[in-house]
Amino acid sequence: MAWILFSVFVAPAVVAVGIRLVFADRPHWSSASHEATGLAPAPSETMAPVVQVYAARTWGLRGAVAVHTWISTKRSGAEHYFRHEVIGWRLRRTGTALVREPGRPDAMWFSNRPRLLVDMRGPGVDAVIDKVEAAVREYPFAERYETWPGPNSNTFTAFVGRRVPELRLNLPPTAIGKDYLAGGAFVGRAPSGTGYQVSIRGVVSMTAALREGIEVNLFGAAAGVGFYPPSIRLPGLGSWPFWPSSQNNMP
């Protein structure tokens, strides 16, 4: 049993740290890139509303095992996007970690290229944006931030996902903090809204959902088997689909 636990929950994270140390560029945070990546349509090129959710490896060695997530929205005919996210250092500077302001929707996160998790466009999306903005306003941890077990940036994104099931938000296992439930709850919906999870303050949890599949989180190391798309979910290494699939086309 100990060997199984080590192989599933520890070894993948150790491998991810090794890969980060050997291959990743490590610029100083002050010179890291926040350039746009071209994953979001320019407002000048589309009048349609857009909702996108992104995940990017965090800065420094933490990026070996964890991602930062955020939500970008653009209403019909709008000239810019709004980014909705939680940033720890903003709490120290402004008294709130919750950030909602115009910005590059698909920017690099401290030189780490983001992965697009959700991409919704066209009719009906303005109504989804209404629900996203309402959920952002209701986020209960704006004045708290803990890297682990939460609440953090992934706690925020997961909270919005639970309130807006239209997003079908399948956060990767590297989104540490996503299992931290609001209100001290021990049982709640999965972030995708397609199942449920049991969680003890995000430290230990289990999720069973159509999108996330079966996932067990032990002290921040999450592993499991995804259903849509079929995938292996591993600590540090993330989610490895058996074949490419568009999340928006899945049930």
Side-chain angles (χ1 to χ4, degrees):
M1 178 61 73
W3 173 246
I4 294 175
L5 291 174
F6 177 84
S7 299
V8 174
F9 292 99
V10 178
V14 172
V15 171
V17 170
I19 292 172
R20 186 78 167 183
L21 288 172
V22 174
F23 296 106
D25 293 331
R26 293 184 293 276
H28 189 269
W29 65 266
S30 61
S31 60
S33 174
H34 293 275
E35 293 298 317
T37 57
L39 293 171
S44 60
E45 297 176 355
T46 178
M47 296 293 290
V50 180
V51 175
Q52 295 181 321
V53 183
Y54 291 94
R57 294 283 176 167
T58 61
W59 180 78
L61 190 58
R62 285 185 301 173
V65 296
V67 297
H68 169 75
T69 57
W70 68 93
I71 303 168
S72 296
T73 61
K74 184 190 79 69
R75 291 188 175 275
S76 297
E79 297 180 353
H80 59 260
Y81 284 84
F82 273 94
R83 280 178 61 126
H84 313 266
E85 59 194 317
V86 159
I87 302 175
W89 58 264
R90 288 289 191 98
L91 176 60
R92 297 189 293 272
R93 287 191 178 184
T94 66
T96 178
L98 182 59
V99 179
R100 180 185 180 272
E101 61 188 18
R104 293 172 178 162
D106 55 353
M108 303 272 278
W109 182 252
F110 291 95
S111 293
N112 293 293
R113 185 176 178 82
R115 173 189 172 195
L116 183 59
L117 302 180
V118 174
D119 189 4
M120 300 181 68
R121 312 181 192 187
V125 173
D126 278 310
V128 174
I129 294 175
D130 289 339
K131 297 184 69 172
V132 167
E133 292 182 347
V136 170
R137 291 191 296 268
E138 295 167 1
Y139 179 64
F141 303 120
E143 298 179 358
R144 291 180 56 194
Y145 186 93
E146 296 290 341
T147 301
W148 180 85
N152 58 26
S153 65
N154 301 316
T155 308
F156 163 74
T157 308
F159 176 87
V160 175
R162 294 184 185 99
R163 295 297 182 94
V164 190
E166 292 89 343
L167 296 175
R168 292 293 190 263
L169 178 59
N170 184 358
L171 290 171
T174 47
I176 296 173
K178 64 183 173 63
D179 300 328
Y180 192 98
L181 300 177
F186 292 99
V187 180
R189 285 188 177 274
S192 69
T194 62
Y196 292 88
Q197 62 185 157
V198 178
S199 177
I200 303 176
R201 295 292 184 180
V203 176
V204 177
S205 65
M206 181 174 179
T207 301
L210 183 61
R211 286 296 180 99
E212 291 91 342
I214 303 297
E215 182 182 277
V216 176
N217 163 28
L218 298 178
F219 306 102
V225 178
F227 295 158
Y228 292 98
S231 60
I232 296 176
R233 301 167 67 89
L234 295 171
L237 298 178
S239 181
W240 292 74
F242 293 146
W243 60 77
S245 179
S246 170
Q247 179 164 309
N248 283 33
N249 293 331
M250 294 185 289

